[in-house]
């Protein structure tokens, strides 16, 4: 569902710039009006994800627009010329998401950044741990206003159960004093299975012990705040931790993903498949590995140019991803025009059938994939996983079969099952 943003601003220049930037950078539908009267009509006819408003409108010079937006329960961001204690109190009463001080050319950047943060917050799940219902409720209100998905736990034990059941939770806010285990112990237990790259922990306490924050941080907490806290400060600390997680995720993707195709790179493929090999060996599951290569790829590069070659690689990668995603198989780009697939749960026969379907699909769409009359085809080598054998050996076996497929005409699949059957037939004929 497309996000819809209500922009209320009587400055023509600012509103035009904001509308353009927000539409470009958040892909939201931005609806603009310049008066409280127009806003009333729009709020009746539409459901808005959030609103952006100035305080002083021609027909509402004293900030009456905030009351209207609060009545319609629309999360609101205010941009204002100045902020003082009276303004902060007023924003708190109206439960404003955030405010942005107008600062010339930086105002638009700040608004776009804040809106993007609020819209992307819904991707993050937060767990609040506190045995006091009133304390939990206050935090839930703050976080839900910021568009987070929020869960609650009344004890450390319940928190651990929820985290085990819902691995998507990426932020925990935990009180220190709880009946079954304190927040320090809870933090230590969480860190036994979840690193700070995957989950951030913010400790909260009304204790007068000023050393408690250091204890929390040494136990693995990412941040700490004392009660009574200023909601604005808590929001900033949460935002900083979420932003840290986003940056870590980007760095991890850069390290693990091929920059052109978006598929796992060679290093990531080996790391993930070695872990899966342990599962196969332990649980006696099936698996297979395939290596594929684009036939005559140099001809595409030489004839059409390297940009066309890159587009062909990207299209093939998208096809691999589509075919593998539903089956939980792992495709990767090993380098150049060479790809690999770890086929989870398939024995050698099923893996051969999968690779043959892939080859046939590429052949049928060869010109579409290459973007030219030079039809793209692929050759593949595939082997069933031999339990107990090092993964490198199995990948080398698939690579040898790929070599045979290319040496015997290309646009074909060679598998260990096929070779074995041929050898058996030769033995019988002799």
């Amino acid at each position: 569902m497309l996000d819809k943003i209500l922009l209320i601003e009587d400055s023509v220049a600012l509103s035009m710039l904001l509308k353009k930037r927000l539409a470009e950078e958040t892909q939201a539908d931005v609806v603009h009006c310049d008066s409280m009267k127009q806003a009333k009509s729009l709020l009746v006819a539409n459901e808005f994800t959030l609103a952006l408003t100035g305080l002083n409108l021609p027909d509402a010079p004293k900030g009456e627009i905030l009351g209207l937006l609060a009545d319609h329960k629309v999360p609101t961001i205010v941009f204002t010329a100045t902020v003082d204690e009276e303004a902060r109190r007023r924003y708190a009463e109206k439960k404003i998401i955030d405010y942005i001080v107008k600062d010339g050319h930086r105002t638009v950047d700040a608004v776009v950044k804040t809106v993007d943060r609020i819209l992307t917050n819904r991707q993050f799940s937060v767990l609040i741990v506190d045995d006091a219902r009133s304390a939990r409720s206050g935090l839930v209100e703050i976080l839900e206003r910021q568009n987070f998905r929020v869960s609650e736990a009344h004890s450390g034990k319940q928190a651990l159960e929820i985290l085990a059941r819902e691995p998507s939770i990426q932020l925990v806010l935990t009180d220190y004093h709880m009946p079954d285990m304190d927040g320090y112990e809870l933090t230590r237990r969480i860190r036994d299975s979840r690193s700070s790259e995957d989950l951030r922990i913010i400790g909260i306490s009304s204790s007068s012990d000023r050393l408690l924050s250091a204890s929390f941080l040494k136990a693995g907490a990412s941040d700490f705040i004392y009660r009574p806290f200023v909601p604005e400060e808590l929001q900033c600390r949460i935002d900083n931790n979420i932003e840290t997680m986003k940056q870590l995720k980007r760095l991890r993707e850069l390290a693990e993903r091929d920059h052109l195709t978006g598929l796992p790179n060679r290093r990531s493929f080996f790391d993930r498949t070695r872990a899966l090999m342990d599962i196969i060996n332990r649980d006696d599951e099936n698996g297979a590995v395939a290596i594929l290569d684009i036939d005559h790829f140099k001809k595409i590069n030489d004839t059409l140019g390297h940009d066309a070659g890159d587009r062909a690689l990207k299209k093939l990668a998208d096809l691999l991803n589509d075919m593998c995603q539903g089956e939980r198989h792992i495709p990767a780009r090993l380098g150049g025009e060479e790809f690999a697939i770890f086929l989870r749960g398939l024995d050698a026969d099923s893996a051969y059938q999968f690779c043959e379907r892939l080859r046939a699909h590429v052949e049928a769409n060869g010109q579409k994939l290459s973007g030219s009359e030079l039809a793209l085809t692929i050759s593949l080598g595939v082997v069933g996983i031999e339990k107990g054998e090092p993964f490198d050996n199995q990948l080398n076996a698939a690579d040898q079969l790929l070599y045979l497929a290319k040496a015997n005409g290309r646009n074909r699949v060679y598998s260990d099952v096929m070779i074995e059957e041929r050898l058996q037939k030769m033995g019988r004929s002799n």
Side-chain angles (χ1 to χ4, degrees):
M1 182 178 175
L2 188 67
D3 290 304
K4 187 174 283 191
I5 298 172
L6 177 59
L7 172 60
I8 311 166
E9 171 59 45
D10 61 332
S11 166
V12 176
L14 180 58
S15 59
M16 287 180 63
L17 190 53
L18 279 171
K19 187 172 181 178
K20 182 176 183 295
R21 286 281 304 278
L22 287 168
E24 288 175 349
E25 299 187 34
T26 69
Q27 285 75 55
D29 178 16
V30 183
V31 180
H32 170 249
C33 67
D34 59 10
S35 68
M36 185 162 170
K37 181 180 178 181
Q38 289 179 335
K40 283 181 181 178
S41 299
L42 290 169
L43 287 165
V44 170
N46 299 272
E47 185 173 336
F48 291 99
T49 307
L50 59 87
L52 287 165
T53 184
L55 276 180
N56 304 315
L57 300 171
D59 57 349
K62 296 182 179 179
E64 295 91 340
I65 188 65
L66 298 184
L68 176 65
L69 292 167
D71 291 342
H72 284 268
K73 296 182 171 57
V74 180
T76 301
I77 299 170
V78 173
F79 34 92
T80 180
T82 58
V83 178
D84 53 25
E85 289 305 314
E86 173 61 24
R88 280 192 168 94
R89 182 190 61 76
R90 197 163 159 205
Y91 298 158
E93 287 177 355
K94 299 299 182 182
K95 299 179 180 177
I96 299 304
I97 294 178
D98 207 346
Y99 63 85
I100 296 164
V101 179
K102 291 181 180 178
D103 185 19
H105 67 281
R106 294 197 298 179
T107 302
V108 174
D109 290 337
V111 170
V112 172
K113 183 178 179 181
T114 302
V115 170
D116 183 64
R117 171 174 61 79
I118 298 300
L119 294 181
T120 56
N121 275 352
R122 62 178 162 224
Q123 300 172 10
F124 292 87
S125 295
V126 182
L127 176 62
I128 296 169
V129 191
D130 200 311
D131 60 323
R133 181 188 295 273
S134 59
R136 291 200 311 274
S137 298
L139 289 170
V140 167
E141 183 183 359
I142 292 171
L143 287 160
E144 287 185 340
R145 206 186 308 156
Q146 295 291 319
N147 212 19
F148 289 105
R149 300 196 303 265
V150 185
S151 301
E152 299 178 57
H154 57 72
S155 67
K157 180 176 181 294
Q158 187 184 31
L160 293 173
E161 291 171 351
I162 292 173
L163 288 169
R165 190 170 64 244
E166 300 179 25
S168 62
I169 291 172
Q170 295 169 287
L171 176 65
V172 173
L173 277 71
T174 178
D175 187 36
Y176 176 68
H177 292 289
M178 290 183 291
D180 59 339
M181 72 177 76
D182 59 36
Y184 172 82
E185 178 62 23
L186 174 61
T187 299
R188 289 184 58 193
R189 293 198 189 185
I190 292 173
R191 285 290 177 246
D192 286 340
S193 58
R194 300 284 299 274
S195 72
S196 60
E197 293 183 17
D198 297 319
L199 182 143
R200 310 292 285 181
I201 303 172
I202 300 178
I204 302 175
S205 179
S206 56
S207 171
S208 59
D209 182 0
R210 308 311 291 180
L211 294 176
L212 187 59
S213 58
S215 298
F216 253 96
L217 294 170
K218 286 184 176 180
S222 312
D223 207 342
F224 186 90
I225 189 167
Y226 284 98
R227 283 193 174 101
F229 53 76
V230 177
E232 196 175 328
E233 180 188 0
L234 177 64
Q235 177 188 318
C236 289
R237 290 177 182 270
I238 291 171
D239 292 344
N240 288 340
N241 277 279
I242 293 296
E243 183 59 30
T244 297
M245 290 197 68
K246 289 178 181 177
Q247 295 292 347
L248 289 170
K249 182 180 179 182
R250 291 188 193 106
L251 289 172
R252 189 160 54 237
E253 287 177 349
L254 287 172
E256 296 177 353
R257 295 281 168 178
D258 173 61
H259 72 282
L260 175 65
T261 64
L263 293 178
N265 58 24
R266 175 184 287 270
R267 175 184 173 184
S268 175
F269 180 72
F270 274 83
D271 288 344
R272 294 172 69 179
T273 49
R274 285 191 179 111
L276 288 171
M277 286 291 293
D278 292 340
I279 296 173
I280 287 174
N281 290 326
R282 183 190 68 208
D283 299 338
D284 198 29
E285 294 183 3
N286 288 319
V289 62
I291 293 185
L292 64 98
D293 193 278
I294 298 177
D295 299 325
H296 303 297
F297 184 69
K298 186 175 184 299
K299 189 174 182 181
I300 294 176
N301 273 336
D302 291 346
T303 305
L304 304 174
H306 287 279
D307 287 345
D310 286 349
R311 287 193 294 271
L313 290 168
K314 181 70 171 66
K315 288 178 182 178
L316 178 60
D318 291 342
L319 172 61
L320 290 176
N321 205 41
D322 289 343
M323 288 191 66
C324 293
Q325 196 167 30
E327 304 295 332
R328 299 186 306 124
H329 304 322
I330 301 174
R333 183 186 180 200
L334 299 185
E337 66 270 30
E338 190 174 59
F339 296 80
I341 311 173
F342 191 92
L343 298 155
R344 301 179 66 174
L346 299 187
D347 60 19
D349 287 321
S350 300
Y352 173 79
Q353 295 300 324
F354 177 92
C355 290
E356 180 56 33
R357 288 196 302 274
L358 172 61
R359 184 207 62 76
H361 190 85
V362 170
E363 182 182 29
N365 295 275
Q367 291 183 343
K368 184 178 178 181
L369 289 168
S370 71
S372 74
E373 293 181 358
L374 290 174
L376 188 149
T377 62
I378 58 173
S379 300
L380 302 96
V382 56
V383 297
I385 294 296
E386 289 288 337
K387 297 175 179 63
E389 277 287 319
F391 181 69
D392 290 359
N393 292 355
Q394 322 223 28
L395 201 64
N396 287 335
D399 195 41
Q400 291 300 313
L401 289 166
L402 169 63
Y403 174 80
L404 289 174
K406 296 180 81 69
N408 285 277
R410 294 182 169 84
N411 189 24
R412 61 196 64 220
V413 180
Y414 266 54
S415 74
D416 52 347
V417 173
M418 177 198 301
I419 298 297
E420 187 175 340
E421 288 177 351
R422 289 187 178 181
L423 290 173
Q424 289 175 354
K425 286 179 181 179
M426 291 173 59
R428 286 196 295 270
S429 64
N430 292 334

